[in-house]
Amino acid sequence: MIEVGECTEDIESVITKEQVKITEIIEESEKKLITEEGEKPESVVVIDDFHKHIKNTIKEQVKVIKTTVEESSTDNVVSKPIDFEVIETTLKETVTAYVTETKEVCDHKHITDITVVVEEKPVKVIEEKIITKKSSSVKKPASEIIVTEERYIHRDFDIISTDEVFSDDELCKHDSSHNVEVIVEETDLENLETNPSKVIENIKKSEVFTVEVVDQPKTTTVVSIVKSIDDTADVVSRWFSRLTYKINTMIEVGECTEDIESVITKEQVKITEIIEESEKKLITEEGEKPESVVVIDDFHKHIKNTIKEQVKVIKTTVEESSTDNVVSKPIDFEVIETTLKETVTAYVTETKDVCDHKHITDITVVVEEKPKCTVDVIVREIKSETVVPVNPTITDRSVVTQSRSVTVVESIEEIRPKVEKFTTSVVDATQSKLDKWYDSFFCRIRTATAESGSTSNDDIKILIGEATEEVSLIISEAKKSIKFETYLSENVDKQTLVVVKSAEKDVKQSLNGILSIITQQIATVQNVVCSADINTVNDKVAAIEVQSRHRTQVALKSTKETTIVSSFEGKTVSWIETAKFPASFKDVKVFAFDLIDTAVDYRTSIRLAWLKIIRKKTRSKAVNSINIDKFIRRWYRIYVQVRTRSELHVNDSELLLSALRSTLIEYSIETEFSVVELDALCSAWFKLQLYEDSAASIRKVKKLEGMYAVSISHTFNIRTMMDLARSGCLCWHAQFTADMFAACSRVNGTNAAETVISKTATLLGLNNASELAIVSSNRELLEVAKLQGSKTVYIDRYSPIPSEAIEEHDIQFDALDTFAESFEAFHESNTISNKVEVPVTKTWFQRVVSTVADTAESVTDMIIG
């Protein structure tokens, strides 16, 4: 779409549609899980959790894709193709991690199998009563005869006549010399949907029918032969990409060589069937084939032979790469892919040349080749039903319809859009009321200050009190109208009821948060009006109005777009109060992020890599008995010590391996791991996962006017930082590491931390160190930064924030989202008005946290295939 110049909106629309498709595929898989009434079996719970994780991962990566497209566009057009390799790698690794983790859960809980629906036949079939006269000529599709699901049982029927059309392989006509009745029993009604030819055959055997078989004429179209050739080549290219990806995914999760080769064979059969299906659509009369068909046939034969040859090469490569029936690491298929593409391209070019030489431009293909059958079927009522005549003014027609009470069990998927639509309407109505309230409130404030020149505190308190009551009433009315249970039937299942009640609670909590934001701003207005100079009060009030309206709009938008979605996806939504930044941060121009335990979650990332390897070491008590988290933290501490003693030019991979060996010796398990396994563990450090809030928080800082976000490290070299930035899709404004300033450290005799902080400020061209703020979870690094005059932000994700401030750093947070939201409010207050200083106030924001456990593999083939 980019190459043909499609606009950004159209590209994003396609992205959204594709997201809906894959979500529907996964949800279709969920519907096949067998669950009895009552508590779900553990196997279903595990798979449900896995599906939720996969859908969340897809949602997150789609956001990244949309952001990438948006950031790459200029004037609503993306000028050149985007490299999605980083995003693709992230998705693959995340899915693989969930697969591995879920397998561990299954192993631990001894879950080996799960029951699924293979074919979901109609719950109940109710026979319809249809009465017709020979003069009738109303056409209805065959499907109108059958009711397949209880929820669709209530339906009115027109007459079925002798002209009734059924899709099947033969044409049937009854003898029109007399009226006929054919009773289709309940089993046949089922078959009429699942196997119509069988029912038609039974009808034809009836004595009252004269059967005449006729050929249905073929529906054809003319297509460009060049397009047909290009389409085939494109199908082969996409098939190969899927195949190689599927092979490497199976390798990563430890599948055996036989299973991989089996998948390769199945995929070869699939692509061959696709090509042969295309061949069947070519129109050929009896006798000699037209030249266009001969040319395409030759092209298809060449392509099938090429696929056959390359499949052999792939199987040989897999076999040669395996040891003990397992391939230890992903295979690079670049050479094979290049050969395939070059060969196919050569055949495409050769075939097009032949077409040009023989002046062949088009080819005729079959669009639809399905015979139709006509049959007069009267389904006679067996059970008594209500008879309702059709409009008596219409002659020669009479219709009998039936109705029956049914029990409908609504699903979460059916209720969710209703809840979302209702919430949107409530939020929009609340937004409208608040807009009018804002107009009234700030008008009264300006009038009060203008009339009296200096409004008394008592008058302002009365005005503020009235305004607070008014806005509280608006929010209270909105909360009272939030009653999602009105959308539930009496037969709703317990799980749906819990989800809907949770969503209702989250929306009401969100409205409470909005009220807190507004009342905080009202209090600020009171303080400003009562204490500010009369010459500046109007400017300050105007600035507060802009700020308050903006925060309220953002919170309301989040309520209708995020809260409901999060609740239905099994996430927890909480409102977090921001912190007040010190005034000294107004001079900060650059935030430098130290990654470990701040932006990247090395503990979880390495733990997943560890679990993937030790799942094959079930017999080793020493390996399985250690505390994984302590082991990982110890490994990192030893690495830092080794890095401090080593030359800065030494690769991180060498030092990570050395530190790992030392840690294994400490735990007396140094003989339990192979060289390949040690390499795999070390490699995980270059693809560390981000914390859930990292990417959004860093983007928020980057988007603030005049602000820059860079990454720094005194423990990793620049190559490692580049790998981490690529793995996490973190588009830093710049990156700075100790090895970049190795010469400076030697000359000045400074350590890595001192050098990287001081030289970062210098290279950024800052006027003084206070314009640089270091964001880190490393207290020692923050100490160094403070000594050099930089501002310090301490991120402590693993312990509660102390009640009293710590002198070692300027401000402390429990996560990056609180930091980013707090600084955004601070920055907004400092930039919203150039005339006066506006008081910085606290605000609230929504934190969405996933509550589902890590989970299973059943959807993997579907996602990658």
Side-chain angles (χ1 to χ4, degrees):
M1 293 180 75
I2 291 171
E3 287 176 350
V4 299
E6 297 283 353
C7 66
T8 307
E9 284 84 354
D10 290 344
I11 295 173
E12 291 182 349
S13 174
V14 168
I15 295 170
T16 302
K17 288 177 182 177
E18 289 301 319
Q19 180 185 2
V20 171
K21 282 183 184 179
I22 186 62
T23 303
E24 287 175 349
I25 290 172
I26 297 172
E27 289 174 351
E28 190 64 32
S29 175
E30 291 173 351
K31 291 176 184 177
K32 293 181 179 179
L33 301 179
I34 296 293
T35 56
E36 304 295 335
E37 292 185 4
E39 189 174 354
K40 286 185 177 181
E42 275 193 319
S43 59
V44 174
V45 173
V46 169
I47 294 297
D48 276 350
D49 288 342
F50 177 65
H51 286 169
K52 288 175 184 175
H53 262 305
I54 294 299
K55 287 189 284 187
N56 290 339
T57 300
I58 291 169
K59 185 179 178 182
E60 290 165 5
Q61 295 307 314
V62 165
K63 285 182 181 178
V64 175
I65 291 171
K66 286 184 177 179
T67 302
T68 304
V69 170
E70 187 178 341
E71 291 177 350
S72 303
S73 67
T74 306
D75 297 330
N76 203 28
V77 174
V78 183
S79 59
K80 60 182 181 180
I82 299 170
D83 184 1
F84 289 107
E85 184 180 352
V86 175
I87 302 174
E88 184 179 9
T89 302
T90 302
L91 177 67
K92 290 178 183 178
E93 291 175 351
T94 305
V95 171
T96 302
Y98 289 140
V99 168
T100 303
E101 187 72 10
T102 305
K103 283 183 176 179
E104 293 294 333
V105 173
C106 292
D107 288 345
H108 178 69
K109 296 184 177 182
H110 306 293
I111 299 171
T112 56
D113 303 306
I114 190 166
T115 305
V116 298
V117 176
V118 176
E119 182 180 357
E120 193 170 358
K121 291 189 175 180
V123 176
K124 195 170 185 180
V125 177
I126 297 176
E127 293 147 325
E128 317 295 346
K129 178 180 177 184
I130 305 168
I131 301 175
T132 183
K133 295 182 179 180
K134 288 179 66 175
S135 59
S136 302
S137 60
V138 180
K139 292 184 177 181
K140 296 290 290 180
S143 58
E144 289 289 349
I145 296 180
I146 316 168
V147 178
T148 58
E149 294 182 20
E150 283 196 337
R151 69 184 60 180
Y152 301 122
I153 284 177
H154 185 76
R155 188 187 291 181
D156 294 339
F157 289 85
D158 288 328
I159 23 187
I160 294 179
S161 73
T162 55
D163 297 323
E164 180 60 27
V165 177
F166 288 77
S167 296
D168 200 65
D169 297 329
E170 298 178 309
L171 182 79
C172 303
K173 290 183 179 180
H174 83 297
D175 183 0
S176 59
S177 61
H178 59 276
N179 288 324
V180 294
E181 278 193 356
V182 177
I183 299 175
V184 181
E185 300 294 345
E186 191 169 330
T187 55
D188 282 341
L189 282 173
E190 290 183 10
N191 289 331
L192 190 53
E193 175 162 295
T194 59
N195 190 4
S197 59
K198 179 179 178 181
V199 177
I200 295 298
E201 191 64 33
N202 290 339
I203 293 172
K204 290 191 297 180
K205 291 177 181 177
S206 171
E207 293 180 358
V208 297
F209 278 94
T210 302
V211 179
E212 178 184 356
V213 179
V214 297
D215 291 330
Q216 179 70 14
K218 297 173 181 177
T219 304
T220 63
T221 188
V222 176
V223 298
S224 165
I225 196 165
V226 171
K227 184 179 183 302
S228 176
I229 293 166
D230 288 338
D231 287 347
T232 301
D234 182 57
V235 167
V236 172
S237 177
R238 285 187 281 112
W239 164 80
F240 185 83
S241 296
R242 285 200 309 272
L243 173 61
T244 54
Y245 175 45
K246 183 176 287 190
I247 292 170
N248 278 330
T249 302
M250 293 180 73
I251 290 171
E252 287 174 359
V253 299
E255 297 286 352
C256 66
T257 307
E258 284 84 352
D259 290 344
I260 295 172
E261 290 182 349
S262 174
V263 166
I264 295 170
T265 302
K266 289 178 183 177
E267 290 299 321
Q268 181 185 1
V269 171
K270 282 183 184 178
I271 187 63
T272 305
E273 288 175 350
I274 291 171
I275 296 172
E276 289 174 350
E277 189 65 31
S278 176
E279 291 172 351
K280 291 177 183 177
K281 293 181 179 179
L282 300 178
I283 294 295
T284 56
E285 304 297 334
E286 292 184 4
E288 189 176 354
K289 288 184 179 180
E291 275 193 318
S292 59
V293 174
V294 173
V295 170
I296 291 294
D297 275 349
D298 288 343
F299 175 67
H300 286 169
K301 287 175 184 176
H302 276 305
I303 295 299
K304 286 189 286 186
N305 289 337
T306 300
I307 291 170
K308 187 176 180 181
E309 291 167 4
Q310 296 307 314
V311 164
K312 286 181 181 178
V313 176
I314 292 171
K315 287 184 176 180
T316 302
T317 304
V318 169
E319 189 176 340
E320 291 176 350
S321 303
S322 68
T323 306
D324 297 330
N325 203 29
V326 174
V327 182
S328 59
K329 60 182 180 180
I331 299 170
D332 185 359
F333 289 104
E334 185 177 355
V335 175
I336 303 174
E337 184 176 13
T338 302
T339 303
L340 177 68
K341 286 182 178 178
E342 290 176 351
T343 307
V344 171
T345 303
Y347 287 137
V348 168
T349 305
E350 181 183 332
T351 306
K352 287 181 179 179
D353 289 342
V354 172
C355 292
D356 288 342
H357 179 68
K358 295 185 177 182
H359 306 292
I360 301 171
T361 57
D362 302 310
I363 191 166
T364 305
V365 297
V366 176
V367 177
E368 181 182 359
E369 190 177 4
K370 285 187 177 179
K372 294 182 179 180
C373 62
T374 301
V375 62
D376 181 16
V377 178
I378 300 174
V379 183
R380 190 171 62 192
E381 176 189 16
I382 295 176
K383 299 183 179 68
S384 61
E385 303 291 351
T386 305
V387 177
V388 182
V390 177
N391 190 336
T393 60
I394 302 177
T395 59
D396 294 327
R397 280 185 79 187
S398 61
V399 178
V400 178
T401 63
Q402 63 87 33
S403 63
R404 179 167 297 193
S405 60
V406 297
T407 299
V408 179
V409 179
E410 293 179 293
S411 65
I412 291 178
E413 290 75 15
E414 292 172 314
I415 294 171
R416 176 172 170 173
K418 299 177 185 177
V419 170
E420 288 177 342
K421 184 177 180 181
F422 176 69
T423 303
T424 299
S425 66
V426 172
V427 170
D428 289 344
T430 304
Q431 175 74 71
S432 179
K433 291 178 182 178
L434 288 175
D435 286 341
K436 293 176 182 177
W437 174 85
Y438 270 119
D439 293 339
S440 173
F441 171 62
F442 282 102
C443 179
R444 282 179 284 169
I445 288 292
R446 292 188 186 93
T447 302
T449 55
E451 287 178 352
S452 60
S454 168
T455 307
S456 68
N457 288 352
D458 290 340
D459 292 338
I460 291 298
K461 285 180 180 178
I462 292 172
L463 199 159
I464 293 295
E466 291 174 351
T468 303
E469 289 179 4
E470 290 166 1
V471 76
S472 297
L473 181 61
I474 292 172
I475 298 299
S476 178
E477 288 176 351
K479 287 166 59 180
K480 286 179 182 178
S481 65
I482 300 295
K483 294 181 179 179
F484 295 159
E485 288 188 32
T486 57
Y487 290 101
L488 303 179
S489 66
E490 295 179 357
N491 304 294
V492 67
D493 61 83
K494 291 180 180 178
Q495 183 185 1
T496 303
L497 183 62
V498 170
V499 171
V500 171
K501 284 185 175 180
S502 174
E504 183 177 308
K505 178 183 175 183
D506 287 342
V507 172
K508 290 180 178 179
Q509 183 184 9
S510 182
L511 291 170
N512 286 336
I514 292 167
L515 179 61
S516 298
I517 291 172
I518 298 174
T519 53
Q520 176 72 55
Q521 297 296 309
I522 292 174
T524 305
V525 171
Q526 179 179 346
N527 293 335
V528 166
V529 173
C530 292
S531 60
D533 188 301
I534 191 63
N535 297 319
T536 62
V537 67
N538 285 334
D539 289 334
K540 290 188 176 182
V541 168
I544 294 170
E545 180 182 3
V546 173
Q547 186 182 71
S548 182
R549 284 179 184 268
H550 172 68
R551 290 180 181 177
T552 303
Q553 288 170 357
V554 170
L556 284 167
K557 184 180 180 182
S558 178
T559 300
K560 65 182 181 181
E561 292 183 358
T562 305
T563 306
I564 294 295
V565 173
S566 301
S567 299
F568 276 87
E569 290 180 354
K571 296 181 178 180
T572 299
V573 180
S574 57
W575 279 80
I576 307 297
E577 186 178 12
T578 60
K580 188 175 180 180
F581 260 85
S584 58
F585 272 77
K586 67 181 180 180
D587 296 325
V588 171
K589 296 179 180 178
V590 180
F591 280 101
F593 293 82
D594 178 34
L595 297 190
I596 293 294
D597 271 347
T598 305
V600 296
D601 184 4
Y602 83 95
R603 306 179 191 213
T604 300
S605 303
I606 304 304
R607 181 174 180 272
L608 290 174
W610 176 271
L611 290 173
K612 181 180 176 180
I613 289 173
I614 69 167
R615 57 183 290 213
K616 301 173 185 177
K617 302 181 183 296
T618 54
R619 296 182 180 180
S620 175
K621 293 182 180 179
V623 171
N624 287 279
S625 63
I626 70 170
N627 185 311
I628 300 174
D629 294 329
K630 287 183 178 180
F631 177 89
I632 293 168
R633 293 198 300 273
R634 179 59 181 160
W635 180 9
Y636 179 64
R637 282 197 295 271
I638 294 177
Y639 164 74
V640 173
Q641 293 168 5
V642 174
R643 166 51 75 192
T644 303
R645 297 193 301 266
S646 303
E647 292 292 331
L648 291 172
H649 67 269
V650 179
N651 289 334
D652 291 339
S653 56
E654 295 179 26
L655 301 182
L656 283 166
L657 181 57
S658 174
L660 175 57
R661 292 184 187 278
S662 298
T663 311
L664 293 173
I665 290 171
E666 284 187 9
Y667 279 80
S668 302
I669 53 174
E670 65 273 16
T671 61
E672 298 287 342
F673 295 86
S674 67
V675 173
V676 172
E677 289 170 336
L678 295 179
D679 286 341
L681 285 171
C682 292
S683 297
W685 284 92
F686 305 103
K687 298 177 182 179
L688 298 178
Q689 297 177 10
L690 298 177
Y691 289 103
E692 283 186 318
D693 62 341
S694 296
S697 301
I698 292 165
R699 278 199 301 271
K700 187 179 287 289
V701 172
K702 287 170 60 181
K703 288 181 178 180
L704 295 177
E705 184 181 354
M707 297 304 303
Y708 294 91
V710 303
S711 66
I712 62 170
S713 179
H714 65 294
T715 55
F716 288 139
N717 62 29
I718 188 64
R719 175 54 195 270
T720 302
M721 295 292 281
M722 288 168 62
D723 287 338
L724 292 175
R726 185 171 188 173
S727 175
C729 268
L730 294 174
C731 300
W732 301 106
H733 288 125
Q735 297 193 90
F736 302 96
T737 56
D739 61 312
M740 296 170 63
F741 311 113
C744 299
S745 294
R746 286 193 295 269
V747 172
N748 300 327
T750 53
N751 62 35
E754 293 169 341
T755 302
V756 76
I757 292 173
S758 63
K759 295 306 175 184
T760 294
T762 302
L763 284 182
L764 289 172
L766 302 178
N767 294 323
N768 56 67
S770 63
E771 293 178 346
L772 175 67
I774 306 299
V775 184
S776 177
S777 63
N778 187 319
R779 289 178 181 271
E780 290 77 15
L781 183 66
L782 294 177
E783 262 184 64
V784 173
K786 189 133 187 166
L787 289 172
Q788 295 193 11
S790 295
K791 298 301 173 187
T792 56
V793 179
Y794 180 49
I795 305 296
D796 188 358
R797 295 181 180 271
Y798 296 98
S799 61
I801 296 178
S803 56
E804 297 181 1
I806 298 177
E807 295 180 0
E808 297 168 0
H809 42 263
D810 296 303
I811 193 167
Q812 177 176 346
F813 297 97
D814 67 337
L816 282 182
D817 57 358
T818 318
F819 151 74
E821 295 285 349
S822 300
F823 186 76
E824 182 185 44
F826 173 81
H827 185 270
E828 184 182 64
S829 298
N830 285 308
T831 58
I832 201 168
S833 175
N834 296 323
K835 299 178 181 178
V836 293
E837 183 178 344
V838 180
V840 180
T841 58
K842 291 183 179 181
T843 185
W844 283 259
F845 71 95
Q846 281 189 333
R847 176 180 289 170
V848 180
V849 181
S850 177
T851 57
V852 294
D854 294 340
T855 25
E857 183 187 22
S858 61
V859 80
T860 306
D861 277 344
M862 174 179 58
I863 292 175
I864 67 176

